[in-house]
Amino acid sequence: MTNWMRVSLVAVLVSGLAPLARGQHKHGEPGHDHGKPVEFKMPTTYADAVGEIEHRLHEIAALMSSKQLAKVHAEAEVIQKVAKVIGQLALKDGSGVPKEAVKDVNLAGKDLAAKFDAIDKAGDSGDLAGTKKVYDEMVKITETFQKYVPKVYQCPMKCEGEKTY
């Protein structure tokens, strides 16, 4: 788990986990408006996909911290879309994912995408504890992705300029 995710989790815990009172509604019903979808560019590399998922999880943590649970939907929807293609990106040459690990990445992607309905339902109902529970499950799933993100190295003394390996 990255440092910013730990900081986000601490912020959520400090803010309290009491459920918020909010009316429940179903998709398509009047009053069920998540606002504009989040604009994003679909990642074309495995590393970018993992980065996009981490960024959206960070945004969800911030929304939980500020108790803006109705806005979780849009961020979770991006995660769902990226998670559905992460297995394909893991298959690309240079992804950093060993061929024997592609199945694990693909299954984790499917598991992560499947969390959308649960986090959306918890957020829509104003259930902070429920949203936090699903969020924690999502963070746990992303640990599989982290194992295979290629590491980028650069000489700290800039001996070779901005060249990376």
Side-chain angles (χ1 to χ4, degrees):
M1 184 180 308
T2 60
N3 286 339
W4 62 263
M5 290 174 86
R6 285 187 187 99
V7 170
S8 297
L9 287 174
V10 170
V12 170
L13 292 173
V14 169
S15 70
L17 297 175
L20 300 172
R22 189 185 305 253
Q24 294 185 10
H25 49 263
K26 295 182 181 176
H27 288 273
E29 286 185 2
H32 186 85
D33 182 20
H34 293 291
K36 279 183 7 181
V38 174
E39 290 185 28
F40 80 105
K41 184 177 176 188
M42 184 60 80
T44 57
T45 68
Y46 178 78
D48 288 345
V50 174
E52 185 69 38
I53 289 169
E54 285 184 344
H55 171 68
R56 299 304 167 176
L57 285 170
H58 175 72
E59 293 298 317
I60 290 172
L63 290 169
M64 288 188 301
S65 181
S66 63
K67 297 183 174 77
Q68 297 180 48
L69 300 182
K71 294 182 180 181
V72 166
H73 172 94
E75 301 295 338
E77 188 173 44
V78 172
I79 292 172
Q80 180 189 41
K81 289 176 182 177
V82 175
K84 286 181 177 181
V85 300
I86 201 162
Q88 295 169 5
L89 296 174
L91 278 171
K92 286 185 167 184
D93 286 337
S95 71
V97 180
K99 296 294 181 205
E100 62 273 7
V102 171
K103 182 178 178 181
D104 289 340
V105 168
N106 194 41
L107 291 174
K110 288 180 180 183
D111 289 346
L112 185 61
K115 295 290 179 188
F116 172 76
D117 287 334
I119 200 164
D120 183 48
K121 182 178 177 183
D124 283 350
S125 67
D127 179 3
L128 183 57
T131 304
K132 168 89 171 78
K133 179 182 180 287
V134 179
Y135 170 84
D136 289 342
E137 293 167 358
M138 294 170 78
V139 168
K140 181 77 174 154
I141 292 169
T142 62
E143 290 174 7
T144 299
F145 305 144
Q146 283 298 329
K147 290 190 262 184
Y148 307 111
V149 174
K151 306 298 184 253
V152 177
Y153 300 97
Q154 182 177 35
C155 174
M157 296 185 314
K158 307 284 186 195
C159 298
E160 298 181 57
E162 297 297 318
K163 189 173 181 179
T164 58
Y165 300 92

